[in-house]
Amino acid sequence: MELLETTAQSYEIEKIINESNDYLIIVSPYLQINNRLKPRLEVCFSKTAKTLILYRENKLTSYELEWFDQFKSVTLMPIKNLHAKCYLNEKTALISSMNLYDYSQIHNHEIGVKFTRENNASEIDKLLSFISN
């Protein structure tokens, strides 16, 4: 387990996206994808078998919704009252206070906890179980 501050979390989220090979799961109440992440996500979506994105409030424009629709491996799932934020792939999980939009990354003081499957396999499996229920 590793504690991360705001800047380190931004870096880790990008790293989780970039290193996803089997799957990517994003849990974030506010789904606003900034232009810096879009190219990384496109590569990720094209190489992973499954991407699951859980969100509460949809701040996407119709253009962005169309952008997501072009990727067959991506499932968008709205969850009423979602407040949790976590980002994970087959190797790494980040449980975070950070929403997935620019304001959080620029203006807020965030804290997160990073787990790796290598050192925390049972915790990552529990997290996957929570998400799937």
Side-chain angles (χ1 to χ4, degrees), residues 32-48:
Q32 291 179 310
I33 309 298
N34 65 48
N35 288 330
R36 192 183 80 257
L37 283 182
K38 279 186 179 177
R40 289 169 172 75
L41 286 168
E42 286 180 354
V43 170
C44 176
F45 296 162
S46 67
K47 70 179 179 173
T48 57

Side-chain angles (χ1 to χ4, degrees), residues 3-132:
L3 291 175
L4 303 175
E5 49 77 33
T6 306
T7 304
Q9 286 180 79
S10 293
Y11 171 77
E12 196 60 44
I13 291 168
E14 287 191 32
K15 189 174 172 189
I16 287 169
I17 292 167
N18 291 339
E19 294 180 355
S20 297
N21 291 310
D22 297 331
Y23 65 87
L24 172 66
I25 299 173
I26 295 173
V27 179
S28 182
Y30 304 102
L31 187 56
Q32 291 179 310
I33 309 298
N34 65 48
N35 288 330
R36 192 183 80 257
L37 283 182
K38 279 186 179 177
R40 289 169 172 75
L41 286 168
E42 286 180 354
V43 170
C44 176
F45 296 162
S46 67
K47 70 179 179 173
T48 57
K50 184 73 176 160
T51 298
L52 176 61
I53 301 175
L54 307 175
Y55 65 99
R56 178 179 70 206
E57 234 178 86
N58 190 345
K59 299 281 187 180
L60 297 178
T61 65
S62 58
Y63 172 79
E64 289 169 317
L65 284 170
E66 290 174 15
W67 179 78
F68 273 118
D69 283 343
Q70 69 183 313
F71 303 103
K72 303 303 178 209
S73 67
V74 176
T75 301
L76 296 174
M77 185 177 296
I79 305 291
K80 186 178 181 178
N81 299 324
L82 179 70
H83 190 68
K85 297 113 183 148
C86 59
Y87 311 91
L88 63 153
N89 63 22
E90 61 277 5
K91 296 186 283 188
T92 307
L94 174 65
I95 300 172
S96 174
S97 63
M98 183 179 286
N99 287 302
L100 192 61
Y101 58 85
D102 286 336
Y103 188 90
S104 290
Q105 296 176 13
I106 296 168
H107 299 287
N108 294 348
H109 297 280
E110 307 283 356
I111 191 165
V113 180
K114 173 185 165 183
F115 298 90
T116 61
R117 181 161 291 283
E118 180 181 340
N119 296 322
N120 306 98
S122 65
E123 285 82 3
I124 290 178
D125 289 341
K126 286 178 193 175
L127 179 58
L128 286 168
S129 177
F130 290 152
I131 290 170
S132 66

